[in-house]
Amino acid sequence: MNTQAQVSGLTRAATPMGTTEGYMPGFGNDFETEVLPGALPQGMNSPQKCNYGLYGEQLSGTAFTDVRPERTWCYRIRPSVKHSNRYRRVELPYFRSAPDIHPEVTSLGQYRWDPVPHTDAPLTWLTGMRTMTTAGDVNTQVGMAAHVYLVTETMQDAYFYSADSEMLVVPQEGQLRFATELGIIDLEPKEIAILPRGLLYRVEVLDGPARGFVCENYGQKFELPGRGPIGANCMANPRDFKTPVAAFEDREVPSTVTVKWCGQFHETQIGQSPLDVVAWHGNYAPCKYDLRNYCPVGAILFDHPDPSIFTVLTAPSGQPGTANIDFVLFRERWMVAEDTFRPPWYHKNIMSELMGNIYGQYDAKPQGFVPGGISLHNMMLPHGPDRDAFEKASNANLGPDKLDNTMSFMFETRFPQHLTRFAGTEAPLQDDYIDCWKDIEKKFDGTPGRK
Ligand SMILES: [Fe+2]
């Protein structure tokens, strides 16, 4: 074991040898961690008196009766009722929730945006959240929202939790620290983090300005996809997900907690930091994952499989095989298929697809889809390669070809995505995006064998 450490004023537990310092490996494991020796009760959850005078408290991410309970027992300086006072409604006009439908905004269309630019305004994780699309309904816990965050400022004595959603964070620029009730996650581009519903945290800027994407999942939690015939190896491996060890601070200063609840925001004032969990155990916890560990599987003789082959995480809906959200990664890989049109084919999809570029160039759109940029191909709207991508791929010499310097992702949902007013009227929409298909030629003239 190495020793405990001070991080941002929080005292963090020692880390077992053989793992990344500050984290525990595994996806959805039944973890246990304590900062102070003996703080975690052994063999039971609710002793008559907890060690160190701590309070026992359960955070439940599933109904008590769920067949696969997800819950975490926390042993903390104060119970969370002390971190909650009377609430006052506050407005965060750019942080939207579904349904958020505006008659003056047309969601029907193929859309692409340049990166949402930084401004001179100091922005925190909350004030810097810019919602691009919403889908489903936050009140019935179905659907999602896609956000861009622009963060320049650390939350000072300020904390947040979303009762509405699990947050999947995909950084594109800068480094953030999520100091959560259950431990500390440092996050940079090429990594992702999952922050469970109800988990309280503050967001600090380690290297700013920071920009990235958030998929706010109103529904069932993200899980690893079923691998079927692929078997136990490749794609995202459970051991590469990292859950933080416990960390707490005992700091008595006036503090603000903001809660997102049914699409509304409320503030409450408290007298101390709520990051006071000294020990915890359970399977409901935040984690991060390095996308460079994702091992893509693809066609190795001919043809082009569905993009679902690149699913990193899936959030189920009530219908088996039809996700509330799939998180899909398009990263560096070898293309080797023979006699095959290798980029994504033209298609229409019942699912709606929001893509973001983390870095590099995307093979179906060599121009215009830049790092930080976003595209949206909504439910049953046709899309596919632009003319240049089509011509190049149709005439390429099909030797082994490495797609290098590329990392894009997709938030794909079974629900249509509605543009927010920000996405439709303020964000840097590329008005000419749809023109990328206008030069596609008619090649057919009835001649057999013509290609
Ligand atoms: Fe698509």
Side-chain angles (χ1 to χ4, degrees):
M1 301 279 283
N2 53 28
T3 54
Q4 61 178 231
Q6 294 291 320
V7 181
S8 277
L10 287 81
T11 307
R12 191 175 70 184
T15 309
M17 297 300 282
T19 64
T20 307
E21 185 180 358
Y23 300 91
M24 303 175 283
F27 187 86
N29 293 8
D30 203 16
F31 297 104
E32 61 176 24
T33 171
E34 62 184 10
V35 184
L36 301 177
L40 194 67
Q42 292 297 319
M44 64 185 304
N45 296 322
S46 195
Q48 187 178 18
K49 286 188 176 179
C50 296
N51 205 357
Y52 296 100
L54 298 170
Y55 289 85
E57 176 176 311
Q58 186 176 246
L59 176 61
S60 290
T62 51
F64 293 133
T65 48
D66 196 284
V67 293
R68 288 189 305 169
E70 292 179 356
R71 52 87 192 96
T72 286
W73 271 96
C74 304
Y75 301 92
R76 58 195 316 159
I77 298 172
R78 295 176 176 85
S80 288
V81 287
K82 290 289 287 180
H83 305 319
S84 173
N85 215 323
R86 286 187 172 76
Y87 286 92
R88 180 177 71 87
R89 179 100 179 258
V90 292
E91 297 297 328
L92 289 168
Y94 287 101
F95 196 162
R96 312 297 301 174
S97 294
D100 186 54
I101 299 170
H102 304 279
E104 75 276 21
V105 173
T106 303
S107 294
L108 184 68
Q110 301 97 333
Y111 290 118
R112 193 165 67 191
W113 292 266
D114 285 327
V116 178
H118 294 286
T119 68
D120 293 334
L123 296 171
T124 67
W125 178 250
L126 296 181
T127 57
M129 200 65 74
R130 301 282 177 270
T131 309
M132 298 296 292
T133 68
T134 67
D137 188 336
V138 73
N139 289 290
T140 53
Q141 300 185 347
V142 294
M144 56 159 273
H147 314 277
V148 171
Y149 64 82
L150 304 169
V151 181
T152 60
E153 303 295 317
T154 290
M155 295 166 70
Q156 301 287 354
D157 301 320
Y159 304 86
F160 171 69
Y161 74 86
S162 172
D164 287 343
S165 49
E166 173 186 43
M167 299 269 205
L168 171 66
V169 185
V170 185
Q172 189 263 322
E173 193 179 84
Q175 286 181 285
L176 295 176
R177 168 169 292 163
F178 294 86
T180 83
E181 289 178 290
L182 300 182
I184 300 161
I185 289 180
D186 288 348
L187 200 66
E188 61 184 23
K190 304 174 192 172
E191 296 179 317
I192 58 169
I194 301 174
L195 305 165
R197 183 194 301 263
L199 179 82
L200 184 147
Y201 57 90
R202 71 166 178 255
V203 182
E204 303 173 19
V205 178
L206 298 181
D207 179 23
R211 178 173 57 208
F213 312 91
V214 172
C215 182
E216 193 185 353
N217 173 17
Y218 304 145
Q220 282 178 257
K221 278 174 93 283
F222 278 107
E223 57 188 45
L224 293 172
R227 291 160 175 268
I230 293 171
N233 299 291
C234 301
M235 302 175 71
N237 290 303
R239 71 182 290 249
D240 295 323
F241 288 81
K242 310 287 184 190
T243 287
V245 295
F248 77 96
E249 61 189 358
D250 185 7
R251 208 159 56 84
E252 298 189 0
V253 289
S255 302
T256 303
V257 176
T258 303
V259 181
K260 182 175 190 287
W261 194 87
C262 294
Q264 301 174 349
F265 296 88
H266 296 79
E267 274 183 8
T268 188
Q269 305 298 325
I270 59 175
Q272 66 286 323
S273 167
L275 304 182
D276 65 355
V277 177
V278 180
W280 62 266
H281 79 88
N283 60 354
Y284 191 71
C287 65
K288 74 170 184 175
Y289 173 73
D290 189 329
L291 295 169
R292 288 163 289 199
N293 288 326
Y294 186 83
C295 176
V297 173
I300 54 171
L301 188 58
F302 62 89
D303 251 341
H304 183 108
D306 286 331
S308 48
I309 199 80
F310 298 138
T311 302
V312 182
L313 293 160
T314 187
S317 70
Q319 187 175 335
T322 302
N324 185 33
I325 308 159
D326 282 329
F327 174 65
V328 181
L329 182 72
F330 306 99
R331 66 160 303 187
E332 295 87 350
R333 59 198 182 274
W334 281 92
M335 309 286 273
V336 298
E338 299 171 0
D339 187 22
T340 291
F341 183 77
R342 290 178 175 176
W345 12 252
Y346 296 102
H347 60 287
K348 293 196 288 188
N349 189 357
I350 188 170
M351 309 286 277
S352 65
E353 309 172 11
L354 183 137
M355 285 188 63
N357 188 338
I358 299 169
Y359 67 78
Q361 192 178 69
Y362 178 63
D363 63 327
K365 301 278 164 46
Q367 306 295 325
F369 182 42
V370 299
I374 297 172
S375 69
L376 175 66
H377 301 115
N378 230 325
M379 179 179 69
M380 283 301 176
L381 282 175
H383 55 285
D386 60 27
R387 181 181 184 276
D388 287 349
F390 178 85
E391 293 299 334
K392 191 172 161 211
S394 303
N395 297 296
N397 175 15
L398 292 184
D401 183 28
K402 178 97 181 273
L403 277 183
D404 230 334
N405 186 36
T406 186
M407 186 176 275
S408 297
F409 68 89
M410 180 162 65
F411 301 150
E412 179 172 285
T413 172
R414 64 177 299 183
F415 300 105
Q417 296 187 46
H418 294 271
L419 269 59
T420 59
R421 192 175 277 134
F422 173 78
T425 63
E426 288 187 55
L429 187 64
Q430 297 178 0
D431 285 333
D432 60 351
Y433 172 49
I434 198 162
D435 295 340
C436 76
W437 297 296
K438 90 172 183 306
D439 293 332
I440 294 175
E441 300 167 326
K442 174 188 172 189
K443 297 176 186 292
F444 174 84
D445 65 1
T447 308
R450 165 150 192 188
K451 289 192 174 177

